[in-house]
Amino acid sequence: MEHIMKRMDRKLLALGFAVYLYILIKIILFKYAPVEIAFLLSQLHSVMEHPEIIENGLAYANFTPFFSIHQNLDHLSNTHDFVNLFGNIALFVPLGIFTRLSAKGGLFTALVLSLGISFSLEGSQLLLSMGSFDVDDLILNVLGGLIGYAICLVVPQPAAAFQKKS
């Protein structure tokens, strides 16, 4: 019976992770628009026909670490800056939690996954002309993933709370 429960827990965790990735893609790439594959293909087709779109995106990208973080911190009373700063952290906290709960990943795994997924999404924004690349988003996203992982180290996991005590 315990084996079946563990398998169900893993399936629920995988389902939760898939839903989380969908929400992450929706928020970062599509913002408030509906998720449409046809739109993605159209964007990709446009970029392939007009590669200067990527050059233009690179011109507006931020490759200077802490530049936009510093700007956001200076204007925290501005809703956009507040959401940009703390939203980029909050979006990746669940990734750190999923990494820890999967029992297959340590702190380094949380760091690499956060960086890899964040870089993929930032690169997609640039490639699909659906936003701008910002190195500070990578920094904040990784910080969020590490915070999520750390939360799991501090807060007892539900399974541990229900184990029989000898």
Side-chain angles (χ1 to χ4, degrees), residues 66-130:
F66 303 104
F67 179 77
S68 35
I69 291 172
H70 180 71
Q71 285 184 320
N72 292 150
L73 287 170
D74 284 347
H75 303 100
L76 278 180
S77 59
N78 178 311
T79 304
H80 176 357
D81 289 321
F82 183 88
V83 169
N84 190 54
L85 184 68
F86 293 107
N88 274 304
I89 295 170
L91 279 173
F92 276 72
V93 168
L95 182 61
I97 293 170
F98 279 116
T99 302
R100 178 70 180 148
L101 292 178
S102 74
K104 293 183 181 180
L107 184 63
F108 183 73
T109 303
L111 183 136
V112 170
L113 272 177
S114 297
L115 182 61
I117 290 173
S118 180
F119 186 76
S120 297
L121 290 167
E122 288 296 309
S124 294
Q125 286 184 90
L126 180 64
L127 179 66
L128 299 169
S129 190
M130 296 176 67

Side-chain angles (χ1 to χ4, degrees), residues 48-61:
M48 289 174 70
E49 284 187 350
H50 305 284
E52 64 273 7
I53 293 172
I54 293 178
E55 289 177 30
N56 188 41
L58 286 169
Y60 289 100

Side-chain angles (χ1 to χ4, degrees), residues 1 4 13-14 29 42-43 47 54-55 57 67 89 95 98 106 113 116 126 130 141 143-145 147 150 152 161 165:
M1 184 67 168
I4 293 170
L13 190 64
L29 289 183
S42 170
Q43 289 294 102
V47 168
I54 293 178
E55 289 177 30
F67 179 77
I89 295 170
L95 182 61
F98 279 116
L113 272 177
L126 180 64
M130 296 176 67
N141 294 161
L143 177 62
I147 288 171
C152 286
K165 295 182 180 181

